[in-house]
Amino acid sequence: MKPGTLYIVPTPIGNLEDITLRALRILKEVALIAAEDTRHSRKLLTHFGIGTRLVSYYREKEAEKAIGFVKLLQEGKDLALISDAGTPAISDPGAILVRAVQEAGLPVVPLPGASAVTSAFSASGILSAGYTFLGFPPAKSGARQKFLQKLVHHDLPVVLYESPRRIEALLEDSLKVLGERDAFFARELSKSHEELFPGTLSTLLERVHDGVRGEFVLIICPTVPEEVSGESLEELLLWHRDNSEISVKDVSKKLAGDLGISKSKVYQMALELWQNRPEKENP
Ligand code: SAM
Protein backbone atom coordinates (compact mmCIF):
# COMPACT_ATOMS: atom_id res chain seq x y z
CA MET A 1 0.00 0.00 0.00
CA LYS A 2 1.27 3.50 -0.82
CA PRO A 3 1.99 5.26 2.50
CA GLY A 4 0.51 8.63 3.27
CA THR A 5 2.44 11.92 3.30
CA LEU A 6 2.84 14.35 6.17
CA TYR A 7 2.39 17.88 4.82
CA ILE A 8 3.74 20.74 6.93
CA VAL A 9 1.35 23.60 6.23
CA PRO A 10 2.03 27.22 7.23
CA THR A 11 -1.00 29.31 8.17
CA PRO A 12 -1.27 33.15 8.35
CA ILE A 13 0.47 35.10 11.14
CA GLY A 14 -2.19 37.81 11.01
CA ASN A 15 -3.62 38.55 7.60
CA LEU A 16 -5.83 35.70 6.40
CA GLU A 17 -4.91 36.43 2.80
CA ASP A 18 -1.43 35.08 3.53
CA ILE A 19 -2.36 31.46 3.00
CA THR A 20 -1.26 29.87 -0.24
CA LEU A 21 -3.50 28.19 -2.82
CA ARG A 22 -1.51 25.01 -2.32
CA ALA A 23 -2.02 25.14 1.46
CA LEU A 24 -5.79 25.45 0.98
CA ARG A 25 -5.86 22.52 -1.46
CA ILE A 26 -3.79 20.28 0.82
CA LEU A 27 -5.88 21.17 3.87
CA LYS A 28 -9.01 20.17 1.90
CA GLU A 29 -7.54 16.94 0.52
CA VAL A 30 -5.85 15.34 3.53
CA ALA A 31 -7.66 12.79 5.71
CA LEU A 32 -6.80 14.61 8.93
CA ILE A 33 -5.26 17.85 10.17
CA ALA A 34 -3.06 17.76 13.28
CA ALA A 35 -3.46 21.15 14.94
CA GLU A 36 -1.91 22.79 17.99
CA ASP A 37 -5.25 24.17 19.14
CA THR A 38 -8.25 22.69 17.35
CA ARG A 39 -10.70 25.42 18.42
CA HIS A 40 -8.39 28.15 17.14
CA SER A 41 -7.75 26.34 13.84
CA ARG A 42 -11.42 25.44 13.31
CA LYS A 43 -12.15 29.18 12.93
CA LEU A 44 -9.50 29.48 10.24
CA LEU A 45 -10.73 26.42 8.37
CA THR A 46 -14.35 27.55 8.58
CA HIS A 47 -13.33 30.91 7.11
CA PHE A 48 -11.99 29.02 4.08
CA GLY A 49 -14.87 26.56 3.90
CA ILE A 50 -12.71 23.57 4.83
CA GLY A 51 -14.40 20.77 6.76
CA THR A 52 -11.45 18.36 7.20
CA ARG A 53 -11.29 16.61 10.58
CA LEU A 54 -9.01 18.28 13.11
CA VAL A 55 -7.11 16.39 15.79
CA SER A 56 -5.27 18.13 18.58
CA TYR A 57 -1.51 17.97 18.62
CA TYR A 58 0.02 20.03 21.39
CA ARG A 59 3.50 20.23 22.86
CA GLU A 60 2.90 18.22 26.04
CA LYS A 61 1.54 15.26 24.08
CA GLU A 62 3.74 15.47 20.98
CA ALA A 63 5.60 12.17 21.40
CA GLU A 64 2.47 10.23 22.36
CA LYS A 65 0.37 11.68 19.55
CA ALA A 66 3.15 11.18 16.99
CA ILE A 67 2.79 7.38 17.31
CA GLY A 68 -0.87 7.52 16.27
CA PHE A 69 -0.15 9.84 13.34
CA VAL A 70 2.64 7.59 12.06
CA LYS A 71 0.17 4.65 12.12
CA LEU A 72 -2.34 6.60 10.04
CA LEU A 73 0.38 7.47 7.51
CA GLN A 74 1.35 3.79 7.33
CA GLU A 75 -2.30 3.01 6.56
CA GLY A 76 -2.00 5.28 3.54
CA LYS A 77 -3.71 8.38 4.93
CA ASP A 78 -2.30 11.84 4.12
CA LEU A 79 -2.01 14.22 7.07
CA ALA A 80 -1.40 17.96 7.43
CA LEU A 81 0.35 19.53 10.38
CA ILE A 82 -0.55 23.12 11.29
CA SER A 83 0.20 25.36 14.26
CA ASP A 84 -1.72 28.34 15.64
CA ALA A 85 0.09 30.74 13.30
CA GLY A 86 2.96 30.64 10.85
CA THR A 87 5.13 27.64 10.08
CA PRO A 88 4.86 24.56 12.33
CA ALA A 89 8.05 23.50 14.13
CA ILE A 90 9.41 27.06 14.06
CA SER A 91 9.11 27.97 17.77
CA ASP A 92 6.03 25.77 17.64
CA PRO A 93 5.38 22.05 18.09
CA GLY A 94 6.06 19.79 15.13
CA ALA A 95 9.69 18.65 15.19
CA ILE A 96 8.94 15.52 17.22
CA LEU A 97 6.27 14.39 14.75
CA VAL A 98 8.49 15.18 11.75
CA ARG A 99 11.33 13.16 13.29
CA ALA A 100 9.02 10.21 14.02
CA VAL A 101 7.74 10.25 10.43
CA GLN A 102 11.29 10.40 9.04
CA GLU A 103 12.36 7.53 11.27
CA ALA A 104 9.45 5.45 10.00
CA GLY A 105 10.76 6.08 6.47
CA LEU A 106 7.62 7.95 5.43
CA PRO A 107 7.43 11.07 3.25
CA VAL A 108 7.37 14.60 4.69
CA VAL A 109 6.49 17.53 2.43
CA PRO A 110 6.96 21.10 3.73
CA LEU A 111 4.90 23.84 2.12
CA PRO A 112 6.55 27.28 1.96
CA GLY A 113 4.57 30.05 3.61
CA ALA A 114 4.16 32.61 6.39
CA SER A 115 6.74 32.80 9.15
CA ALA A 116 7.41 35.86 11.32
CA VAL A 117 11.18 35.43 11.26
CA THR A 118 11.56 35.72 7.48
CA SER A 119 9.06 38.58 7.09
CA ALA A 120 10.77 40.55 9.89
CA PHE A 121 14.29 40.03 8.61
CA SER A 122 13.33 40.92 5.05
CA ALA A 123 11.97 44.26 6.30
CA SER A 124 14.85 45.02 8.68
CA GLY A 125 17.18 46.61 6.15
CA ILE A 126 20.05 44.85 7.92
CA LEU A 127 22.84 44.10 5.51
CA SER A 128 24.13 40.68 6.43
CA ALA A 129 24.90 37.41 4.71
CA GLY A 130 22.83 35.60 7.32
CA TYR A 131 21.28 35.68 10.76
CA THR A 132 20.97 33.50 13.82
CA PHE A 133 17.41 32.66 14.79
CA LEU A 134 17.06 31.69 18.45
CA GLY A 135 13.28 31.79 18.93
CA PHE A 136 12.09 32.79 22.41
CA PRO A 137 14.72 33.85 24.97
CA PRO A 138 14.27 32.55 28.54
CA ALA A 139 11.42 34.21 30.41
CA LYS A 140 13.27 34.80 33.71
CA SER A 141 15.76 37.62 33.97
CA GLY A 142 18.69 35.57 35.38
CA ALA A 143 18.47 32.92 32.67
CA ARG A 144 17.86 35.59 30.04
CA GLN A 145 21.01 37.49 31.00
CA LYS A 146 23.05 34.28 30.81
CA PHE A 147 21.55 33.60 27.38
CA LEU A 148 22.47 37.13 26.24
CA GLN A 149 25.97 36.79 27.67
CA LYS A 150 26.67 34.07 25.11
CA LEU A 151 25.83 36.53 22.33
CA VAL A 152 28.31 39.25 23.29
CA HIS A 153 30.85 38.20 20.62
CA HIS A 154 28.37 36.68 18.20
CA ASP A 155 29.06 38.09 14.76
CA LEU A 156 25.66 37.74 13.06
CA PRO A 157 22.35 39.54 13.73
CA VAL A 158 20.29 37.58 16.25
CA VAL A 159 16.55 37.19 15.67
CA LEU A 160 14.32 36.61 18.69
CA TYR A 161 10.62 36.11 19.27
CA GLU A 162 9.01 37.88 22.21
CA SER A 163 5.59 38.60 23.65
CA PRO A 164 4.40 42.13 24.50
CA ARG A 165 4.56 41.24 28.21
CA ARG A 166 8.31 40.69 28.15
CA ILE A 167 9.61 42.89 25.36
CA GLU A 168 10.58 45.75 27.66
CA ALA A 169 12.46 43.44 30.06
CA LEU A 170 14.21 41.77 27.13
CA LEU A 171 15.36 45.12 25.75
CA GLU A 172 16.52 46.27 29.19
CA ASP A 173 18.56 43.11 29.72
CA SER A 174 19.96 43.26 26.18
CA LEU A 175 21.17 46.81 26.73
CA LYS A 176 22.68 45.85 30.07
CA VAL A 177 24.49 42.76 28.80
CA LEU A 178 25.33 43.64 25.20
CA GLY A 179 25.69 47.42 25.42
CA GLU A 180 24.27 49.76 22.81
CA ARG A 181 23.63 48.02 19.49
CA ASP A 182 21.74 48.64 16.29
CA ALA A 183 18.45 46.81 16.57
CA PHE A 184 15.07 46.41 14.89
CA PHE A 185 11.64 45.20 15.81
CA ALA A 186 8.68 44.12 13.75
CA ARG A 187 5.37 44.19 15.58
CA GLU A 188 1.97 42.91 14.48
CA LEU A 189 3.30 41.78 11.10
CA SER A 190 0.64 41.62 8.38
CA LYS A 191 -1.99 43.11 10.74
CA SER A 192 -3.57 46.56 10.61
CA HIS A 193 -1.26 48.00 13.28
CA GLU A 194 1.91 46.59 11.78
CA GLU A 195 4.98 48.49 12.94
CA LEU A 196 8.55 48.22 11.68
CA PHE A 197 10.99 50.01 13.96
CA PRO A 198 14.67 50.31 13.07
CA GLY A 199 16.90 51.97 15.69
CA THR A 200 19.14 51.04 18.58
CA LEU A 201 18.43 49.04 21.72
CA SER A 202 17.87 52.36 23.55
CA THR A 203 15.44 53.81 21.03
CA LEU A 204 13.50 50.53 20.87
CA LEU A 205 13.34 50.49 24.66
CA GLU A 206 12.05 54.05 24.71
CA ARG A 207 9.39 53.09 22.13
CA VAL A 208 8.00 50.19 24.19
CA HIS A 209 8.38 51.92 27.53
CA ASP A 210 4.76 53.02 27.85
CA GLY A 211 3.42 49.62 26.87
CA VAL A 212 2.65 48.24 23.44
CA ARG A 213 0.43 45.47 22.19
CA GLY A 214 1.09 42.67 19.78
CA GLU A 215 3.68 40.06 19.02
CA PHE A 216 7.29 41.02 18.42
CA VAL A 217 10.25 39.90 16.39
CA LEU A 218 13.39 41.56 17.72
CA ILE A 219 16.66 41.67 15.80
CA ILE A 220 19.88 42.65 17.56
CA CYS A 221 22.91 43.48 15.43
CA PRO A 222 26.46 42.44 16.25
CA THR A 223 28.87 45.16 17.36
CA VAL A 224 30.77 46.64 14.49
CA PRO A 225 34.36 45.62 15.18
CA GLU A 226 36.60 48.63 15.49
CA GLU A 227 38.79 48.87 12.44
CA VAL A 228 42.06 47.35 13.47
CA SER A 229 44.80 48.29 11.12
CA GLY A 230 47.47 45.70 10.36
CA GLU A 231 49.93 48.05 12.02
CA SER A 232 48.18 48.33 15.37
CA LEU A 233 47.58 44.57 15.48
CA GLU A 234 51.27 44.06 14.84
CA GLU A 235 52.12 46.48 17.65
CA LEU A 236 49.88 44.59 20.06
CA LEU A 237 51.37 41.25 19.07
CA LEU A 238 54.90 42.60 19.39
CA TRP A 239 54.12 43.89 22.84
CA HIS A 240 52.86 40.46 23.95
CA ARG A 241 55.79 38.71 22.29
CA ASP A 242 58.37 40.84 24.09
CA ASN A 243 56.65 41.48 27.42
CA SER A 244 54.57 38.47 28.33
CA GLU A 245 54.96 34.72 28.51
CA ILE A 246 51.68 34.05 26.70
CA SER A 247 51.81 31.43 23.92
CA VAL A 248 51.23 32.27 20.23
CA LYS A 249 47.97 30.33 20.29
CA ASP A 250 46.63 32.00 23.42
CA VAL A 251 47.58 35.51 22.37
CA SER A 252 45.91 35.00 18.98
CA LYS A 253 42.75 33.75 20.63
CA LYS A 254 42.72 36.63 23.11
CA LEU A 255 43.33 39.41 20.59
CA ALA A 256 40.90 37.95 18.05
CA GLY A 257 38.22 37.86 20.78
CA ASP A 258 39.04 41.35 22.12
CA LEU A 259 39.10 42.94 18.69
CA GLY A 260 36.35 40.88 17.06
CA ILE A 261 38.53 39.78 14.17
CA SER A 262 39.41 36.45 12.60
CA LYS A 263 41.50 34.13 14.79
CA SER A 264 43.37 32.67 11.81
CA LYS A 265 44.37 36.15 10.60
CA VAL A 266 45.83 37.01 14.01
CA TYR A 267 47.47 33.58 14.36
CA GLN A 268 49.16 33.90 10.96
CA MET A 269 50.64 37.29 11.83
CA ALA A 270 51.64 36.11 15.32
CA LEU A 271 53.49 33.06 13.92
CA GLU A 272 55.57 35.26 11.63
CA LEU A 273 56.43 37.67 14.45
CA TRP A 274 57.29 34.85 16.87
CA GLN A 275 59.55 33.23 14.25
CA ASN A 276 61.45 36.49 13.82
CA ARG A 277 61.80 37.00 17.55
CA PRO A 278 65.26 38.40 18.33
CA GLU A 279 67.49 36.20 20.44
CA LYS A 280 67.39 37.24 24.10
CA GLU A 281 70.69 38.71 25.16
CA ASN A 282 72.56 36.80 27.87
CA PRO A 283 72.68 38.82 31.08
N1 SAM B 1 5.56 29.35 13.99
C1 SAM B 1 5.52 30.79 14.01
C2 SAM B 1 6.34 31.35 12.84
O1 SAM B 1 6.55 30.61 11.88
O2 SAM B 1 6.71 32.50 12.86
C3 SAM B 1 5.96 31.35 15.34
C4 SAM B 1 5.15 30.89 16.50
S1 SAM B 1 5.66 31.49 18.03
C5 SAM B 1 4.68 30.54 19.13
C6 SAM B 1 4.85 33.03 18.16
C7 SAM B 1 5.82 34.19 18.11
O3 SAM B 1 6.13 34.51 16.75
C8 SAM B 1 5.26 35.48 18.68
O4 SAM B 1 5.41 35.56 20.08
C9 SAM B 1 6.08 36.53 17.97
O5 SAM B 1 7.33 36.67 18.56
C10 SAM B 1 6.23 35.89 16.58
N2 SAM B 1 5.09 36.33 15.74
C11 SAM B 1 4.05 35.58 15.33
N3 SAM B 1 3.21 36.34 14.60
C12 SAM B 1 3.72 37.57 14.55
C13 SAM B 1 3.31 38.79 13.95
N4 SAM B 1 2.18 38.88 13.27
N5 SAM B 1 4.11 39.87 14.11
C14 SAM B 1 5.26 39.80 14.81
N6 SAM B 1 5.68 38.68 15.41
C15 SAM B 1 4.93 37.58 15.27
Side-chain angles (χ1 to χ4, degrees):
M1 185 202 298
K2 190 175 167 281
T5 296
L6 174 71
Y7 293 94
I8 302 170
V9 182
T11 55
I13 56 169
N15 190 323
L16 291 184
E17 286 177 352
D18 294 334
I19 192 155
T20 68
L21 296 174
R22 188 176 174 212
L24 291 175
R25 179 178 60 77
I26 297 288
L27 291 173
K28 260 187 210 145
E29 287 177 0
V30 291
L32 202 80
I33 300 171
E36 200 182 348
D37 177 341
T38 50
R39 272 199 301 180
H40 174 93
S41 295
R42 174 56 62 210
K43 285 186 205 146
L44 178 83
L45 296 186
T46 304
H47 176 87
F48 289 111
I50 297 171
T52 311
R53 190 154 78 88
L54 278 166
V55 175
S56 86
Y57 178 78
Y58 51 95
R59 204 177 290 283
E60 293 72 20
K61 294 267 179 193
E62 268 199 89
E64 199 181 301
K65 293 267 179 169
I67 299 167
F69 291 128
V70 168
K71 254 193 204 146
L72 290 171
L73 291 164
Q74 282 163 336
E75 287 166 13
K77 296 198 169 74
D78 287 336
L79 306 181
L81 169 68
I82 62 176
S83 60
D84 285 354
T87 302
I90 305 297
S91 292
D92 265 339
I96 291 176
L97 175 58
V98 170
R99 172 64 67 89
V101 175
Q102 285 170 346
E103 281 172 359
L106 301 167
V108 174
V109 173
L111 271 58
S115 192
V117 47
T118 33
S119 296
F121 199 81
S122 70
S124 70
I126 294 168
L127 206 63
S128 172
Y131 59 79
T132 302
F133 173 61
L134 294 176
F136 288 99
K140 294 202 174 128
S141 186
R144 185 165 52 220
Q145 289 192 17
K146 264 195 197 148
F147 164 93
L148 291 165
Q149 202 70 53
K150 293 193 199 132
L151 302 176
V152 171
H153 294 300
H154 193 70
D155 58 2
L156 285 175
V158 172
V159 184
L160 301 172
Y161 280 169
E162 195 49 285
S163 74
R165 263 178 303 135
R166 281 193 280 269
I167 188 71
E168 187 175 3
L170 171 61
L171 286 166
E172 271 170 3
D173 280 346
S174 302
L175 196 55
K176 201 185 297 172
V177 175
L178 303 172
E180 187 65 303
R181 301 277 181 110
D182 284 345
F184 172 87
F185 75 60
R187 185 174 70 87
E188 299 276 72
L189 281 163
S190 80
K191 302 183 189 176
S192 49
H193 295 292
E194 178 177 272
E195 182 181 10
L196 306 173
F197 196 100
T200 62
L201 286 174
S202 307
T203 59
L204 267 59
L205 183 57
E206 208 179 294
R207 167 69 190 95
V208 303
H209 184 62
D210 294 326
V212 264
R213 286 159 178 266
E215 303 296 322
F216 282 83
V217 181
L218 171 66
I219 307 179
I220 305 175
C221 292
T223 43
V224 183
E226 277 175 40
E227 245 337 287
V228 184
S229 70
E231 252 169 72
S232 55
L233 176 59
E234 188 172 329
E235 271 169 28
L236 284 167
L237 285 168
L238 282 172
W239 185 90
H240 280 285
R241 186 192 71 176
D242 299 335
N243 297 286
S244 74
E245 294 298 316
I246 191 165
S247 71
V248 183
K249 245 195 183 152
D250 288 344
V251 78
S252 309
K253 202 168 152 193
K254 176 184 157 32
L255 289 182
D258 289 353
L259 302 169
I261 53 180
S262 132
K263 216 186 303 175
S264 60
K265 182 182 158 184
V266 184
Y267 186 58
Q268 200 51 46
M269 193 184 263
L271 273 183
E272 283 166 27
L273 292 173
W274 258 249
Q275 268 161 14
N276 299 328
R277 179 183 223 159
E279 290 290 322
K280 273 197 182 149
E281 281 175 28
N282 285 330

